Amino acid sequence: MSADSFAQLALQALKADQPERAIAYFEEALEHAERPRPDLLHSMGVVLLQLAEPEKARPLMAMALEQAWAVGAEQELLLQCALGLAAASEDSDLVSEALAAYEQAFEVDARADRALVGKAHLLLGLGRVDDAVELLDRYLGYAKDDPEFLEAGQALVDAAKAFAKEGDPPVLLQAHRESYVGFFDETIKRMAEKGWMGECARMMRNEDGDVVNVIPEGARPYAAVRVDLVDPSTGQAGQIGEQPMVVAVGGFEALAQAPVTFAQGGRPYRLRYSSQSPWDQLPIQVLLEKPVAEAEVEPIMAAWYQAGFDGRFGTKEGGRFHYISDPITCRDGHGVVFNVDLGRANLQCIEHLLSSFDQLHQKVGVVEVLLGRGSLSPREEAPAG
C-alpha cells in the first residue's frame, strides 16, 4: 500500500472516532512515503494534541515545519505547521518555543489571523499587555471574522488597556473570592434546610482507632481534603458549582474572556494577578532563581495549606481550605505550580502566603509569583522584581 492509502485509512479511523488507530495508520503512511511528507507529520501531531499528548506532538510539528520549509510547501501548510508547533509548545509549557513558532507563522503570513490572536493571548497570560494589545489592534484593523468575535476582541483590547492604566490587580482575585464565597453561602443555606452540612473533612479511623484525615492515594501527606457539602444521613458528597468559577470585574467584564495578568509592585519579586483566578481552583505559580523550586516552595505551601485547612483564615463556622494538588514542576526545576481550593477562607490567606515568599526570596531568590491562570515568564526572560 502507498503512503496516501494509509493516510486515507487514518482519516477513516478519525471519522470513526478511533484516534489511536489513526495514529498507527499515519505511522505506516510515513514509513511508506518516498519523499518528505510534512502534511502527514502535521496531521499526526494534530491527533496527538487532541489526545492531550503535546510532548509527543511537538517533535512531529517541529519536523513537519522544517520539512515544509525545505520542500517549499504551500503557504497554508507552512502556516498550519507553524501554528501546530506553537500550540504543542504552549501545551508543553515551552513559552519561548511557542513565541518563536508564532514568529515563523508571521514569516509565512504577517497578517495571519490565528497567529496574531494566538500570540496575543499568550502575551496577555505573560503579563505583556502592551505587546498583546498591539497585535490585537493589528488583527482588528483588517480581520473579517464573525462580527460577534470581532466585537469581543475589541472589548478585550479596551478592557486590557483601561485596567493596565487604572486598575488595581489584587481586585481581580478579590472579586473571584467574593463571588465564589457568596455563591457558596447561598448554597449552604439552602442545603442546610435539607440537613446537609458544609466543609466537612474526609475522615477515617486508623488502625489504632483514632479519627484521622483521609489522604487521597498517592497524594502528599499534608493534602487532606474537605468536601463542599455532605448529607450526613447517607454520606453523599456534593460540590459547589460544576467547574471552577471565573467571574468578571465590574467595568472590565471583557477580561474574563481570557487569562490576562497584571503586575503589582511592592514585593522584592515580580507579583502578578490574573483576570481568571477561580478561588475554588486557584493556580499558585512560583519561579525561583535556582532550579530548586519544588524543594523550597513545597514546605511553605504544606504549612500554609495545613493552617488554612485547620481554619487559620476562617471562622468557627467555616472558611477552611479544601484541596491542594501535588506540585507541578516547570521551567527546568526553577518553577512550580500548585492548584488550591481555598473554600471560604478570607483574603488574609494570600497576604500570609506572600509574606512567606518574601522570606523565601531572602534565602534563594524568588523571581516571580503568579496568582491565577496564565504563564510564568520564560526563565531566560524573567524580569526582576
Side-chain angles (χ1 to χ4, degrees):
M1 292 177 63
S2 67
D4 288 334
S5 296
F6 281 112
Q8 286 298 319
L9 291 174
L11 294 176
Q12 292 174 17
L14 289 174
K15 290 180 180 179
D17 196 22
Q18 297 175 326
E20 290 85 0
R21 178 170 291 185
I23 289 173
Y25 282 134
F26 278 129
E27 290 173 342
E28 290 281 357
L30 288 166
E31 287 183 10
H32 287 77
E34 298 178 355
R35 56 184 173 80
R37 292 294 300 269
D39 57 328
L40 297 179
L41 289 167
H42 173 263
S43 295
M44 187 159 67
V46 169
V47 177
L48 287 167
L49 281 177
Q50 293 172 345
L51 291 173
E53 297 189 52
E55 294 81 7
K56 293 181 179 179
R58 187 178 175 278
L60 294 176
M61 293 297 192
M63 190 182 305
L65 182 57
E66 181 180 353
Q67 288 187 5
W69 282 117
V71 303
E74 293 182 358
Q75 184 184 63
E76 182 58 27
L77 179 57
L78 278 166
L79 186 59
Q80 290 285 355
C81 290
L83 292 173
L85 179 57
S89 298
E90 280 196 61
D91 288 352
S92 301
D93 194 38
L94 298 172
V95 174
S96 295
E97 288 81 350
L99 292 171
Y102 280 123
E103 289 305 310
Q104 291 206 56
F106 293 138
E107 289 181 31
V108 178
D109 180 1
R111 296 173 57 163
D113 290 356
R114 287 164 294 172
L116 288 168
V117 173
K119 184 177 180 181
H121 277 80
L122 178 56
L123 292 173
L124 289 173
L126 288 166
R128 293 169 54 180
V129 176
D130 290 343
D131 294 338
V133 164
E134 180 183 349
L135 291 178
L136 289 173
D137 278 338
R138 284 168 52 190
Y139 159 74
L140 291 167
Y142 48 74
K144 301 185 184 301
D145 283 322
D146 183 282
E148 291 186 4
F149 188 80
L150 295 176
E151 183 179 344
Q154 187 63 60
L156 178 59
V157 167
D158 294 342
K161 287 180 179 179
F163 195 91
K165 181 178 180 180
E166 61 191 59
D168 182 23
V171 167
L172 298 170
L173 184 58
Q174 180 181 352
H176 280 81
R177 184 210 172 260
E178 290 178 352
S179 293
Y180 178 72
V181 172
F183 180 60
F184 200 124
D185 288 344
E186 291 178 5
T187 305
I188 284 282
K189 181 178 180 180
R190 185 175 68 253
M191 297 303 290
E193 297 174 354
K194 302 178 181 180
W196 287 62
M197 300 173 62
E199 296 193 87
C200 295
R202 291 189 179 276
M203 310 288 285
M204 62 175 289
R205 290 191 180 276
N206 62 17
E207 296 178 354
D208 299 326
D210 298 324
V211 177
V212 297
N213 291 321
V214 172
I215 306 298
E217 184 176 355
R220 297 301 206 261
Y222 56 83
V225 176
R226 292 186 182 277
V227 295
D228 293 347
L229 296 163
V230 66
D231 182 349
S233 65
T234 64
Q236 179 184 350
Q239 184 174 339
I240 302 294
E242 297 181 357
Q243 56 187 356
M245 182 181 290
V246 173
V247 305
V249 175
F252 306 97
E253 287 82 2
L255 292 180
Q257 291 181 39
V260 187
T261 66
F262 299 90
Q264 173 77 6
R267 297 285 174 182
Y269 44 83
R270 189 186 193 210
L271 172 61
R272 286 190 283 140
Y273 290 84
S274 174
S275 62
Q276 291 192 353
S277 301
W279 193 252
D280 52 332
Q281 189 74 308
L282 181 68
I284 297 173
Q285 311 187 50
V286 186
L287 185 69
L288 302 186
E289 293 178 2
K290 301 178 181 179
V292 292
E294 183 173 327
E296 293 292 345
V297 175
E298 184 170 19
I300 291 173
M301 294 296 297
W304 176 73
Y305 180 75
Q306 288 176 322
F309 188 86
D310 293 337
R312 170 77 176 272
F313 312 112
T315 67
K316 292 182 179 180
E317 291 72 33
R320 297 172 175 85
F321 291 174
H322 288 197
Y323 165 83
I324 186 169
S325 71
D326 286 346
I328 304 167
T329 302
C330 59
R331 300 293 187 276
D332 298 320
H334 291 254
V336 66
V337 181
F338 291 82
N339 293 289
V340 188
D341 182 346
L342 299 171
R344 290 187 290 173
N346 59 48
L347 278 168
Q348 292 177 3
C349 67
I350 299 300
E351 180 57 36
H352 186 279
L353 180 62
L354 294 177
S355 295
S356 296
F357 290 149
D358 292 347
Q359 298 173 25
L360 180 64
H361 176 73
Q362 298 175 7
K363 177 183 177 184
V364 295
V366 177
V367 176
E368 185 174 68
V369 174
L370 172 56
L371 300 176
R373 297 174 180 172
S375 296
L376 287 169
S377 297
R379 182 164 57 84
E380 64 276 14
E381 301 176 11

